Amino acid sequence: MSRIDLHLHTTYSDGTLRPSDVLSLAKAANVTALAITDHDITTGIPEAMAAGEALGIEVIPGVEISSFDGKDELHILGYYMNWQDPLFNERLATLRTSRHRRNPLIVERLQAAGLDVTYEEVKALAGTDSVGRPHIAQLLMQKKYVTSAKEAFDRYLAEGRSAYVARELPTPAQAIGWIREAKGVAVLAHPTWVKESDEELRACVKSLKDVGLGGIEVHYSTHTKTQTSSFLNLGSELNLLITGGSDFHGLTKPDIAVGRGRGDLSVKPQLLTPLKEAAAKF
Ligand code: AMP
Ligand code: ZN
Ligand code: FE
Ligand code: FE
């Protein structure tokens, strides 16, 4: 059965596979359309589009922007924006700069804990301007300080752990505004990250809709059936577009497969039509 996948990371941010390799996996998983949604960067899109053309897979330009609402970190996905727009890319560049301010501080904390790591090593391993904690996790794995990215996060990198350092983030309204300004559709990623009750999530999503949010990521690798149906209800109630994707990262999330998530993910190609129609109106 054919499917789509609107949430994928590559080596242009913190995924471990190149766009062309992600596209090959997508082909094997019967994915007919996909979006590359690297963190704070659009430079992987042309490579993905070229591979998509060769394989007969529709590639939708995408991005994922982290934001902070004062309480939770919310990730905002952007689709169909003018990804080459200079102002949009300038905005993303400022976000990457905030990564370069934060990461050396994380590395200093790891060094203080006695680990032999440098930010130069992290940057060399990342090989991209969008450097994230998963790259630091990969380095810790290479150096055998941990055996998995999960262990790196649990021991050092997750919020509240010993090497965690917060990063300056835009507000959700800013992130949504930048995507809308570039004529894209803004979608709330993995709503479970909004840790409040159902009622608070509803109020949060409603307030995001008031500032331009167009959709909600209902189908996601780690969602339970109950979560999926609850987010679907919320999306329908607030008249939001429904999207879905795996959040594939390659080896940093080894249990997540392109198009199939943990095995039972299958996002229907029909969901793409309303998303495309909404973008065409901007
Ligand atoms: P950063 O963008 O540097 O703040 O890193 C955040 C990214 O790290 C997320 O988008 C996830 O891909 C990944 N991540 C966050 N928490 C974990 C975790 N506990 N285990 C593995 N990866 C994680
Ligand atoms: Zn990531
Ligand atoms: Fe995310
Ligand atoms: Fe993601």
Side-chain angles (χ1 to χ4, degrees):
M1 207 178 49
S2 65
R3 60 189 79 211
I4 61 174
D5 190 336
L6 301 179
H7 193 158
L8 297 155
H9 296 272
T10 76
T11 44
Y12 285 87
S13 66
D14 56 15
T16 58
L17 292 188
R18 298 194 63 83
S20 50
D21 296 324
V22 173
L23 268 284
S24 299
L25 291 176
K27 186 75 192 173
N30 272 330
V31 170
T32 53
L34 60 78
I36 298 296
T37 54
D38 276 314
H39 300 280
D40 307 335
I41 199 160
T42 57
T43 39
I45 292 172
E47 184 183 323
M49 285 182 163
E53 207 148 293
L55 293 167
I57 297 174
E58 183 178 350
V59 174
I60 295 129
V63 74
E64 183 174 24
I65 300 177
S66 310
S67 69
F68 187 65
D69 69 358
K71 200 166 167 215
D72 298 302
E73 191 176 314
L74 306 189
H75 289 187
I76 308 294
L77 294 159
Y79 296 113
Y80 290 109
M81 63 280 154
N82 295 327
W83 59 276
Q84 288 164 307
D85 179 79
L87 179 60
F88 183 65
N89 283 286
E90 241 171 72
R91 309 252 198 235
L92 298 184
T94 64
L95 300 177
R96 300 198 296 272
T97 301
S98 97
R99 294 178 170 279
H100 293 303
R101 270 201 290 273
R102 169 217 219 173
N103 293 328
L105 300 175
I106 296 179
V107 169
E108 272 176 32
R109 291 190 173 211
L110 293 169
Q111 288 166 346
L115 280 67
D116 173 24
V117 286
T118 66
Y119 190 42
E120 293 311 311
E121 290 173 310
V122 176
K123 281 196 291 190
L125 175 149
T128 168
D129 192 41
S130 182
V131 183
R133 282 177 287 163
H135 294 122
I136 303 175
Q138 272 175 261
L139 183 65
L140 296 184
M141 280 166 73
Q142 273 184 15
K143 296 204 162 189
K144 311 257 190 276
Y145 288 118
V146 294
T147 57
S148 65
K150 186 182 181 305
E151 189 189 345
F153 273 87
D154 290 347
R155 282 178 61 184
Y156 301 109
L157 303 172
E159 190 181 342
R161 300 298 164 182
S162 58
Y164 178 76
V165 176
R167 168 161 86 91
E168 306 129 63
L169 294 173
T171 65
Q174 282 173 317
I176 291 167
W178 298 340
I179 292 164
R180 294 289 295 104
E181 210 175 51
K183 312 250 181 265
V185 181
V187 171
L188 176 66
H190 41 69
T192 55
W193 281 37
V194 186
K195 294 181 265 311
E196 293 97 349
S197 66
D198 286 357
E199 251 336 284
E200 281 168 311
L201 174 66
R202 187 184 179 286
C204 168
V205 175
K206 184 162 185 330
S207 73
L208 297 180
K209 187 177 179 198
D210 293 340
V211 294
L213 189 80
I216 180 167
E217 190 175 50
V218 166
H219 306 283
Y220 187 73
S221 294
T222 61
H223 286 174
T224 63
K225 283 205 170 77
T226 312
Q227 286 170 331
T228 304
S229 73
S230 142
F231 299 146
L232 189 58
N233 286 340
L234 181 60
S236 322
E237 187 195 333
L238 296 178
N239 202 16
L240 289 166
L241 296 158
I242 306 302
T243 73
S246 64
D247 209 358
F248 176 80
H249 276 74
L251 291 178
T252 17
K253 292 186 183 178
D255 55 330
I256 308 289
V258 175
R260 298 174 192 272
R262 286 182 172 159
D264 51 3
L265 183 75
S266 187
V267 184
K268 288 192 174 63
Q270 293 91 293
L271 292 182
L272 204 54
T273 311
L275 188 66
K276 207 181 279 187
E277 283 170 1
K281 286 194 198 121
F282 296 155

